[in-house]
């Protein structure tokens, strides 16, 4: 089962770096665009591929064509040709999977899918079939994309940034220390 969203562990394993390095890159605003799904860090596969491609192009411009360059081999998702209008037929067989399979595919914690309260609170799409809990991977992907927020805040426009720097922050009022107050009261 392929899920086009990766956890930070999956990206770290792909690039053979530590989780600490991935976290530092996020803090320094380096690396691919990342998203937060509640408190879980997620990377969209397309953003990872774009970052790898940009990095490879950067190495080519620095080192030149004749020098040995570390090659990044990526296999972006294959584009499926859109069928012609007369060939479009709805797929009646939607595949449903168990919570265990969703956890394995997405890398999210199991309690999100298995706990009824968490499912309801997070509004996770699910189907209860005669007591059996099932999920559609397409619906889970749409839910994740709708509920994740970008982790890197966009840079403010130059006009707003200039307006904010013109305003000098107020100098805080200095509160005297206890020994300064005691000296004043003692008259010295």
């Amino acid at each position: 089962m392929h899920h086009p969203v990766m956890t930070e562990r999956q990206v770290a394993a792909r690039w053979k770096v530590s989780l600490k390095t991935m976290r530092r890159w996020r803090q320094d605003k380096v690396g691919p665009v990342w998203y937060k799904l509640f408190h879980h860090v997620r990377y969209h596969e397309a953003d990872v591929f774009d970052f790898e491609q940009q990095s490879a192009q950067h190495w080519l411009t620095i080192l030149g064509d004749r020098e040995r360059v570390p090659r990044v081999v990526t296999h972006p998702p294959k584009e499926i040709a859109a069928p012609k209008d007369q060939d479009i037929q709805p797929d009646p067989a939607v595949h449903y999977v168990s919570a265990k399979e969703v956890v394995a595919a997405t890398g999210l914690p199991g309690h999100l899918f298995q706990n009824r309260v968490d499912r309801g609170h997070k509004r996770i799409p699910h189907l209860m079939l005669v007591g059996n809990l099932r999920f559609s991977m397409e619906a889970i992907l749409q839910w994740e994309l709708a509920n994740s927020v970008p982790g890197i805040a966009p840079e403010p426009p130059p006009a707003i940034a200039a307006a904010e720097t013109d305003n000098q922050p107020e100098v805080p009022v200095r509160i005297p220390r206890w020994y300064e107050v005691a000296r004043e009261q003692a008259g010295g």
Side-chain angles (χ1 to χ4, degrees):
M1 212 175 311
H2 178 74
H3 192 65
V5 180
M6 297 192 274
T7 65
E8 67 179 331
R9 287 185 189 277
Q10 291 169 332
V11 176
R14 176 184 180 90
W15 291 341
K16 294 179 177 51
V17 297
S18 68
L19 284 175
K20 191 174 182 178
T21 300
M22 295 293 296
R23 292 174 183 145
R24 188 181 71 244
W25 285 353
R26 283 197 307 272
Q27 184 178 8
D28 295 342
K29 297 182 180 179
V30 177
V33 177
W34 54 280
Y35 297 86
K36 291 282 273 191
L37 179 66
F38 307 111
H39 64 276
H40 304 283
V41 175
R42 313 291 281 172
Y43 291 90
H44 295 179
E45 197 172 66
D47 294 331
V48 172
F49 289 148
D50 288 343
F51 180 75
E52 288 173 348
Q53 188 175 25
Q54 290 171 359
S55 297
Q57 289 171 354
H58 178 69
W59 277 105
L60 283 174
T61 58
I62 291 175
L63 299 176
D65 292 336
R66 296 187 183 257
E67 297 181 35
R68 291 190 175 219
V69 179
R71 298 200 182 258
V72 177
V73 179
T74 60
H75 303 286
K78 296 178 183 175
E79 304 234 354
I80 300 171
K84 297 178 183 176
D85 291 337
Q86 66 267 20
D87 294 339
I88 296 176
Q89 295 177 356
D91 185 16
V94 177
H95 298 285
Y96 289 100
V97 295
S98 67
K100 188 175 183 179
E101 292 169 315
V102 171
V103 168
T106 63
L108 290 169
H111 70 85
L112 287 177
F113 302 101
Q114 295 167 345
N115 189 332
R116 181 181 54 84
V117 175
D118 286 342
R119 266 194 329 267
H121 180 67
K122 306 287 188 199
R123 298 181 183 183
I124 298 174
H126 65 282
L127 181 65
M128 193 63 88
L129 297 170
V130 192
N132 293 322
L133 182 63
R134 295 292 180 249
F135 301 90
S136 165
M137 287 305 294
E138 294 82 20
I140 294 297
L141 176 62
Q142 294 304 318
W143 167 81
E144 184 169 345
L145 295 176
N147 289 296
S148 61
V149 294
I152 299 175
E155 295 293 326
I160 295 173
E164 290 176 359
T165 57
D166 291 342
N167 299 337
Q168 296 296 328
E170 293 182 21
V171 178
V173 177
R174 185 176 178 283
I175 299 173
R177 304 284 184 178
W178 67 270
Y179 54 85
E180 294 172 342
V181 173
R183 243 188 255 146
E184 280 184 29
Q185 289 177 352

